mmCIF file of all heavy atoms in Angstrom:
data_model
loop_
_atom_site.group_PDB
_atom_site.id
_atom_site.type_symbol
_atom_site.label_atom_id
_atom_site.label_comp_id
_atom_site.label_asym_id
_atom_site.label_seq_id
_atom_site.Cartn_x
_atom_site.Cartn_y
_atom_site.Cartn_z
ATOM 1 N N PHE A 7 24.251 -55.663 -29.262
ATOM 2 C CA PHE A 7 25.480 -54.861 -29.181
ATOM 3 C C PHE A 7 25.357 -53.646 -30.085
ATOM 4 O O PHE A 7 25.072 -53.765 -31.278
ATOM 5 C CB PHE A 7 26.696 -55.671 -29.593
ATOM 6 C CG PHE A 7 27.944 -54.829 -29.757
ATOM 7 C CD1 PHE A 7 28.600 -54.329 -28.636
ATOM 8 C CD2 PHE A 7 28.428 -54.509 -31.018
ATOM 9 C CE1 PHE A 7 29.732 -53.536 -28.778
ATOM 10 C CE2 PHE A 7 29.556 -53.723 -31.166
ATOM 11 C CZ PHE A 7 30.213 -53.242 -30.035
ATOM 12 N N LEU A 8 25.553 -52.454 -29.520
ATOM 13 C CA LEU A 8 25.522 -51.228 -30.305
ATOM 14 C C LEU A 8 26.902 -50.576 -30.251
ATOM 15 O O LEU A 8 27.455 -50.364 -29.169
ATOM 16 C CB LEU A 8 24.471 -50.269 -29.742
ATOM 17 C CG LEU A 8 23.018 -50.785 -29.765
ATOM 18 C CD1 LEU A 8 22.086 -49.753 -29.143
ATOM 19 C CD2 LEU A 8 22.584 -51.121 -31.173
ATOM 20 N N PRO A 9 27.480 -50.255 -31.407
ATOM 21 C CA PRO A 9 28.837 -49.701 -31.451
ATOM 22 C C PRO A 9 28.932 -48.263 -30.951
ATOM 23 O O PRO A 9 30.036 -47.745 -30.775
ATOM 24 C CB PRO A 9 29.205 -49.793 -32.933
ATOM 25 C CG PRO A 9 27.890 -49.740 -33.640
ATOM 26 C CD PRO A 9 26.922 -50.453 -32.746
ATOM 27 N N VAL A 10 27.789 -47.624 -30.759
ATOM 28 C CA VAL A 10 27.746 -46.258 -30.229
ATOM 29 C C VAL A 10 26.830 -46.274 -29.015
ATOM 30 O O VAL A 10 25.683 -46.714 -29.088
ATOM 31 C CB VAL A 10 27.217 -45.263 -31.277
ATOM 32 C CG1 VAL A 10 27.126 -43.867 -30.671
ATOM 33 C CG2 VAL A 10 28.112 -45.256 -32.516
ATOM 34 N N SER A 11 27.329 -45.788 -27.882
ATOM 35 C CA SER A 11 26.568 -45.850 -26.638
ATOM 36 C C SER A 11 25.638 -44.644 -26.484
ATOM 37 O O SER A 11 25.788 -43.619 -27.166
ATOM 38 C CB SER A 11 27.510 -45.901 -25.439
ATOM 39 O OG SER A 11 28.187 -44.658 -25.289
ATOM 40 N N LYS A 12 24.702 -44.762 -25.563
ATOM 41 C CA LYS A 12 23.800 -43.661 -25.236
ATOM 42 C C LYS A 12 24.588 -42.466 -24.721
ATOM 43 O O LYS A 12 24.302 -41.312 -25.075
ATOM 44 C CB LYS A 12 22.789 -44.130 -24.191
ATOM 45 C CG LYS A 12 21.692 -43.129 -23.863
ATOM 46 C CD LYS A 12 20.674 -43.735 -22.909
ATOM 47 C CE LYS A 12 19.508 -42.798 -22.649
ATOM 48 N NZ LYS A 12 18.479 -43.420 -21.758
ATOM 49 N N ALA A 13 25.596 -42.738 -23.910
ATOM 50 C CA ALA A 13 26.430 -41.656 -23.374
ATOM 51 C C ALA A 13 27.177 -40.939 -24.491
ATOM 52 O O ALA A 13 27.300 -39.699 -24.470
ATOM 53 C CB ALA A 13 27.408 -42.210 -22.343
ATOM 54 N N GLN A 14 27.673 -41.677 -25.461
ATOM 55 C CA GLN A 14 28.386 -41.052 -26.578
ATOM 56 C C GLN A 14 27.461 -40.141 -27.383
ATOM 57 O O GLN A 14 27.864 -39.058 -27.820
ATOM 58 C CB GLN A 14 28.985 -42.126 -27.483
ATOM 59 C CG GLN A 14 30.208 -42.815 -26.903
ATOM 60 C CD GLN A 14 30.710 -43.938 -27.803
ATOM 61 O OE1 GLN A 14 29.935 -44.772 -28.285
ATOM 62 N NE2 GLN A 14 32.009 -43.953 -28.052
ATOM 63 N N LEU A 15 26.228 -40.578 -27.590
ATOM 64 C CA LEU A 15 25.273 -39.745 -28.319
ATOM 65 C C LEU A 15 24.963 -38.469 -27.543
ATOM 66 O O LEU A 15 24.898 -37.378 -28.126
ATOM 67 C CB LEU A 15 23.988 -40.518 -28.602
ATOM 68 C CG LEU A 15 24.072 -41.671 -29.609
ATOM 69 C CD1 LEU A 15 22.691 -42.258 -29.855
ATOM 70 C CD2 LEU A 15 24.697 -41.224 -30.925
ATOM 71 N N SER A 16 24.777 -38.595 -26.254
ATOM 72 C CA SER A 16 24.504 -37.411 -25.427
ATOM 73 C C SER A 16 25.689 -36.459 -25.434
ATOM 74 O O SER A 16 25.516 -35.231 -25.514
ATOM 75 C CB SER A 16 24.168 -37.836 -23.994
ATOM 76 O OG SER A 16 22.974 -38.587 -23.942
ATOM 77 N N GLN A 17 26.891 -37.000 -25.372
ATOM 78 C CA GLN A 17 28.096 -36.166 -25.421
ATOM 79 C C GLN A 17 28.214 -35.442 -26.762
ATOM 80 O O GLN A 17 28.575 -34.264 -26.809
ATOM 81 C CB GLN A 17 29.331 -37.040 -25.174
ATOM 82 C CG GLN A 17 29.446 -37.544 -23.747
ATOM 83 C CD GLN A 17 30.447 -38.672 -23.598
ATOM 84 O OE1 GLN A 17 31.099 -39.089 -24.569
ATOM 85 N NE2 GLN A 17 30.586 -39.190 -22.384
ATOM 86 N N THR A 18 27.895 -36.157 -27.841
ATOM 87 C CA THR A 18 27.949 -35.546 -29.171
ATOM 88 C C THR A 18 26.947 -34.412 -29.292
ATOM 89 O O THR A 18 27.260 -33.341 -29.817
ATOM 90 C CB THR A 18 27.679 -36.601 -30.254
ATOM 91 O OG1 THR A 18 28.692 -37.611 -30.197
ATOM 92 C CG2 THR A 18 27.669 -35.980 -31.648
ATOM 93 N N GLN A 19 25.748 -34.641 -28.787
ATOM 94 C CA GLN A 19 24.722 -33.603 -28.842
ATOM 95 C C GLN A 19 25.172 -32.346 -28.090
ATOM 96 O O GLN A 19 25.007 -31.230 -28.576
ATOM 97 C CB GLN A 19 23.406 -34.125 -28.273
ATOM 98 C CG GLN A 19 22.243 -33.148 -28.411
ATOM 99 C CD GLN A 19 20.931 -33.743 -27.945
ATOM 100 O OE1 GLN A 19 20.873 -34.420 -26.918
ATOM 101 N NE2 GLN A 19 19.866 -33.506 -28.688
ATOM 102 N N GLN A 20 25.741 -32.540 -26.937
ATOM 103 C CA GLN A 20 26.231 -31.406 -26.152
ATOM 104 C C GLN A 20 27.383 -30.703 -26.868
ATOM 105 O O GLN A 20 27.491 -29.469 -26.841
ATOM 106 C CB GLN A 20 26.686 -31.901 -24.772
ATOM 107 C CG GLN A 20 27.119 -30.797 -23.827
ATOM 108 C CD GLN A 20 27.473 -31.327 -22.444
ATOM 109 O OE1 GLN A 20 27.582 -32.529 -22.239
ATOM 110 N NE2 GLN A 20 27.628 -30.426 -21.485
ATOM 111 N N LEU A 21 28.225 -31.490 -27.527
ATOM 112 C CA LEU A 21 29.397 -30.953 -28.212
ATOM 113 C C LEU A 21 29.020 -30.063 -29.397
ATOM 114 O O LEU A 21 29.588 -28.988 -29.584
ATOM 115 C CB LEU A 21 30.274 -32.121 -28.695
ATOM 116 C CG LEU A 21 31.628 -31.794 -29.324
ATOM 117 C CD1 LEU A 21 32.586 -31.243 -28.273
ATOM 118 C CD2 LEU A 21 32.218 -33.043 -29.983
ATOM 119 N N ILE A 22 28.048 -30.509 -30.186
ATOM 120 C CA ILE A 22 27.758 -29.798 -31.431
ATOM 121 C C ILE A 22 26.638 -28.764 -31.304
ATOM 122 O O ILE A 22 26.492 -27.907 -32.183
ATOM 123 C CB ILE A 22 27.425 -30.777 -32.576
ATOM 124 C CG1 ILE A 22 26.041 -31.414 -32.395
ATOM 125 C CG2 ILE A 22 28.509 -31.830 -32.725
ATOM 126 C CD1 ILE A 22 25.589 -32.249 -33.587
ATOM 127 N N SER A 23 25.863 -28.827 -30.236
ATOM 128 C CA SER A 23 24.681 -27.967 -30.138
ATOM 129 C C SER A 23 24.963 -26.469 -30.279
ATOM 130 O O SER A 23 24.132 -25.740 -30.845
ATOM 131 C CB SER A 23 23.911 -28.245 -28.848
ATOM 132 O OG SER A 23 24.705 -27.994 -27.712
ATOM 133 N N PRO A 24 26.124 -25.950 -29.809
ATOM 134 C CA PRO A 24 26.352 -24.513 -30.000
ATOM 135 C C PRO A 24 26.600 -24.126 -31.458
ATOM 136 O O PRO A 24 26.587 -22.937 -31.792
ATOM 137 C CB PRO A 24 27.614 -24.245 -29.148
ATOM 138 C CG PRO A 24 27.712 -25.399 -28.208
ATOM 139 C CD PRO A 24 27.178 -26.562 -28.972
ATOM 140 N N HIS A 25 26.829 -25.117 -32.319
ATOM 141 C CA HIS A 25 27.258 -24.842 -33.693
ATOM 142 C C HIS A 25 26.199 -25.166 -34.744
ATOM 143 O O HIS A 25 26.433 -24.945 -35.935
ATOM 144 C CB HIS A 25 28.530 -25.635 -34.000
ATOM 145 C CG HIS A 25 29.628 -25.422 -33.014
ATOM 146 N ND1 HIS A 25 30.436 -24.304 -33.027
ATOM 147 C CD2 HIS A 25 30.036 -26.175 -31.956
ATOM 148 C CE1 HIS A 25 31.307 -24.380 -32.027
ATOM 149 N NE2 HIS A 25 31.087 -25.497 -31.364
ATOM 150 N N ILE A 26 25.068 -25.696 -34.329
ATOM 151 C CA ILE A 26 24.019 -26.070 -35.270
ATOM 152 C C ILE A 26 22.683 -25.467 -34.833
ATOM 153 O O ILE A 26 22.579 -24.924 -33.728
ATOM 154 C CB ILE A 26 23.877 -27.600 -35.379
ATOM 155 C CG1 ILE A 26 23.428 -28.190 -34.029
ATOM 156 C CG2 ILE A 26 25.174 -28.252 -35.852
ATOM 157 C CD1 ILE A 26 22.981 -29.627 -34.097
ATOM 158 N N HIS A 27 21.681 -25.579 -35.696
ATOM 159 C CA HIS A 27 20.332 -25.172 -35.330
ATOM 160 C C HIS A 27 19.584 -26.369 -34.727
ATOM 161 O O HIS A 27 19.732 -27.498 -35.202
ATOM 162 C CB HIS A 27 19.542 -24.691 -36.542
ATOM 163 C CG HIS A 27 20.084 -23.463 -37.188
ATOM 164 N ND1 HIS A 27 20.632 -22.419 -36.473
ATOM 165 C CD2 HIS A 27 20.172 -23.110 -38.497
ATOM 166 C CE1 HIS A 27 21.013 -21.471 -37.299
ATOM 167 N NE2 HIS A 27 20.759 -21.867 -38.537
ATOM 168 N N LYS A 28 18.789 -26.099 -33.701
ATOM 169 C CA LYS A 28 17.800 -27.083 -33.276
ATOM 170 C C LYS A 28 16.596 -26.859 -34.171
ATOM 171 O O LYS A 28 15.823 -25.924 -33.991
ATOM 172 C CB LYS A 28 17.422 -26.900 -31.803
ATOM 173 C CG LYS A 28 16.418 -27.935 -31.327
ATOM 174 C CD LYS A 28 16.011 -27.730 -29.874
ATOM 175 C CE LYS A 28 14.984 -28.778 -29.456
ATOM 176 N NZ LYS A 28 14.518 -28.562 -28.056
ATOM 177 N N THR A 29 16.433 -27.704 -35.157
ATOM 178 C CA THR A 29 15.428 -27.478 -36.191
ATOM 179 C C THR A 29 14.012 -27.722 -35.673
ATOM 180 O O THR A 29 13.800 -28.553 -34.790
ATOM 181 C CB THR A 29 15.694 -28.379 -37.405
ATOM 182 O OG1 THR A 29 15.811 -29.740 -36.969
ATOM 183 C CG2 THR A 29 16.965 -27.961 -38.112
ATOM 184 N N PRO A 30 13.041 -27.020 -36.236
ATOM 185 C CA PRO A 30 11.665 -27.166 -35.755
ATOM 186 C C PRO A 30 11.009 -28.456 -36.219
ATOM 187 O O PRO A 30 11.408 -29.061 -37.212
ATOM 188 C CB PRO A 30 10.960 -25.951 -36.370
ATOM 189 C CG PRO A 30 11.737 -25.647 -37.614
ATOM 190 C CD PRO A 30 13.164 -25.973 -37.270
ATOM 191 N N VAL A 31 10.002 -28.859 -35.475
ATOM 192 C CA VAL A 31 9.112 -29.950 -35.874
ATOM 193 C C VAL A 31 7.785 -29.310 -36.263
ATOM 194 O O VAL A 31 7.189 -28.582 -35.465
ATOM 195 C CB VAL A 31 8.898 -30.960 -34.725
ATOM 196 C CG1 VAL A 31 7.892 -32.037 -35.137
ATOM 197 C CG2 VAL A 31 10.228 -31.598 -34.331
ATOM 198 N N VAL A 32 7.329 -29.551 -37.491
ATOM 199 C CA VAL A 32 6.091 -28.937 -37.953
ATOM 200 C C VAL A 32 5.040 -30.006 -38.233
ATOM 201 O O VAL A 32 5.365 -31.176 -38.465
ATOM 202 C CB VAL A 32 6.308 -28.076 -39.215
ATOM 203 C CG1 VAL A 32 7.347 -26.999 -38.965
ATOM 204 C CG2 VAL A 32 6.699 -28.936 -40.403
ATOM 205 N N THR A 33 3.791 -29.580 -38.188
ATOM 206 C CA THR A 33 2.680 -30.476 -38.482
ATOM 207 C C THR A 33 1.761 -29.813 -39.501
ATOM 208 O O THR A 33 1.830 -28.594 -39.713
ATOM 209 C CB THR A 33 1.871 -30.812 -37.219
ATOM 210 O OG1 THR A 33 1.367 -29.594 -36.651
ATOM 211 C CG2 THR A 33 2.725 -31.537 -36.191
ATOM 212 N N SER A 34 0.905 -30.612 -40.118
ATOM 213 C CA SER A 34 -0.064 -30.103 -41.077
ATOM 214 C C SER A 34 -1.358 -30.887 -40.927
ATOM 215 O O SER A 34 -1.365 -32.113 -41.109
ATOM 216 C CB SER A 34 0.467 -30.239 -42.511
ATOM 217 O OG SER A 34 -0.566 -30.095 -43.465
ATOM 218 N N ARG A 35 -2.429 -30.184 -40.609
ATOM 219 C CA ARG A 35 -3.715 -30.858 -40.436
ATOM 220 C C ARG A 35 -4.139 -31.547 -41.726
ATOM 221 O O ARG A 35 -4.645 -32.670 -41.723
ATOM 222 C CB ARG A 35 -4.768 -29.835 -40.007
ATOM 223 C CG ARG A 35 -6.137 -30.446 -39.696
ATOM 224 C CD ARG A 35 -7.127 -29.371 -39.264
ATOM 225 N NE ARG A 35 -6.626 -28.630 -38.108
ATOM 226 C CZ ARG A 35 -7.232 -27.555 -37.603
ATOM 227 N NH1 ARG A 35 -8.344 -27.102 -38.180
ATOM 228 N NH2 ARG A 35 -6.733 -26.939 -36.552
ATOM 229 N N MET A 36 -3.903 -30.869 -42.865
ATOM 230 C CA MET A 36 -4.311 -31.437 -44.140
ATOM 231 C C MET A 36 -3.525 -32.713 -44.463
ATOM 232 O O MET A 36 -4.084 -33.715 -44.923
ATOM 233 C CB MET A 36 -4.109 -30.398 -45.254
ATOM 234 C CG MET A 36 -4.503 -30.874 -46.639
ATOM 235 S SD MET A 36 -3.097 -31.652 -47.491
ATOM 236 C CE MET A 36 -3.931 -32.246 -48.948
ATOM 237 N N LEU A 37 -2.210 -32.687 -44.217
ATOM 238 C CA LEU A 37 -1.397 -33.876 -44.488
ATOM 239 C C LEU A 37 -1.754 -35.007 -43.527
ATOM 240 O O LEU A 37 -1.721 -36.184 -43.900
ATOM 241 C CB LEU A 37 0.088 -33.528 -44.403
ATOM 242 C CG LEU A 37 0.607 -32.576 -45.491
ATOM 243 C CD1 LEU A 37 2.080 -32.245 -45.264
ATOM 244 C CD2 LEU A 37 0.406 -33.173 -46.880
ATOM 245 N N ASN A 38 -2.099 -34.662 -42.294
ATOM 246 C CA ASN A 38 -2.574 -35.681 -41.352
ATOM 247 C C ASN A 38 -3.839 -36.358 -41.872
ATOM 248 O O ASN A 38 -3.983 -37.586 -41.814
ATOM 249 C CB ASN A 38 -2.861 -35.062 -39.981
ATOM 250 C CG ASN A 38 -1.603 -34.747 -39.192
ATOM 251 O OD1 ASN A 38 -0.500 -35.120 -39.596
ATOM 252 N ND2 ASN A 38 -1.760 -34.057 -38.080
#
């Protein structure tokens, strides 16, 4: 049982996306 559904998460993402940054994912060969 999960108190937050997949649909609720998708709705939240759609709701807030105009107001936040989609932050980058970075990698580092040395850290790898």
Side-chain angles (χ1 to χ4, degrees):
F7 170 73
L8 298 178
V10 177
S11 69
K12 186 175 184 177
Q14 286 176 313
L15 291 184
S16 296
Q17 290 165 1
T18 298
Q19 185 175 42
Q20 184 176 11
L21 186 69
I22 73 172
S23 61
H25 307 281
I26 64 168
H27 296 323
K28 181 182 179 183
T29 53
V31 176
V32 303
T33 59
S34 164
R35 184 179 303 173
M36 180 270 174
L37 293 177
N38 285 352

